[in-house]
Amino acid sequence: QPTTMNLCRLLSIWTLAVGASAKGPLTDDADDEGTPFKHFLAFNSNQTCASDSHAMPFNNQIRGVNLGGWMVLEPWITPSLFYQFLGGDETNTAMDHYSFCEVLGPEEGNKQLKRHWESWVTEDIIKELADSGAVNSLRVPVGDFMFEPYGPYIGCTDGALD
């Protein structure tokens, strides 16, 4: 049974699993001293970063994966959540996160979303990505409606950031 995942848990696991520090830029341009930012140094000559505690040491380039369809529904990524709307008319068909919540309502929408959030991304998946050595960044799309729900998101997205 895979361990369930929420956004905070994902970030904690990722930080612990990937927590290696960068060793510095791989650059042939000795004149590129880098542009300092608050948490890292950016090198224009090879588009890499150094002194970033979130970077992997293998070459400091961003090598990421998108966890789309998890926190923000995208029917082309998670079509199974939208099969239930096939054959519906304009008022009973969902084509995105907004209409998903609008058609199902807060109680049923939230029930289905919680089930999805707990199963779409698991701790095992995050550990596998981190252990692969090929990924040093995660893109996790989140909606503004998760921080301050409005419209059909009220009640429907409860628990998204727990």
Side-chain angles (χ1 to χ4, degrees):
Q1 177 72 13
T3 305
T4 61
M5 184 68 55
N6 64 34
L7 191 56
C8 292
R9 184 161 176 73
L10 175 144
L11 295 175
S12 299
I13 292 166
W14 183 256
T15 302
L16 290 172
V18 178
S21 61
K23 291 183 180 177
L26 295 177
T27 180
D28 297 337
D29 188 350
D31 295 332
D32 188 356
E33 295 179 12
T35 304
F37 289 88
K38 185 175 181 181
H39 298 289
F40 62 92
L41 220 80
F43 295 90
N44 290 330
S45 61
N46 61 5
Q47 298 181 0
T48 62
C49 298
S51 304
D52 180 356
S53 62
H54 299 52
M56 294 282 286
F58 63 89
N59 71 357
N60 300 327
Q61 290 180 337
I62 295 173
R63 298 191 187 277
V65 65
N66 179 29
L67 298 179
W70 180 38
M71 302 304 290
V72 177
L73 298 183
E74 299 176 74
W76 62 277
I77 296 177
T78 54
S80 59
L81 289 171
F82 293 86
Y83 289 154
Q84 64 190 312
F85 304 111
L86 290 175
D89 61 20
E90 288 180 10
T91 60
N92 295 313
T93 301
M95 297 184 293
D96 55 23
H97 206 127
Y98 185 93
S99 56
F100 182 91
C101 290
E102 190 173 49
V103 171
L104 292 178
E107 190 173 311
E108 180 60 25
N110 188 250
K111 177 181 159 188
Q112 290 188 29
L113 284 174
K114 282 186 175 181
R115 189 174 334 127
H116 171 67
W117 294 331
E118 291 173 358
S119 61
W120 185 251
V121 176
T122 64
E123 186 172 326
D124 292 340
I125 291 170
I126 299 305
K127 285 181 179 176
E128 185 178 336
L129 288 170
D131 292 345
S132 75
V135 176
N136 65 8
S137 301
L138 296 177
R139 179 181 180 269
V140 183
V142 295
D144 64 330
F145 49 84
M146 293 176 178
F147 298 94
E148 194 168 324
Y150 54 87
Y153 299 118
I154 296 171
C156 187
T157 57
D158 287 356
L161 300 176
D162 291 346

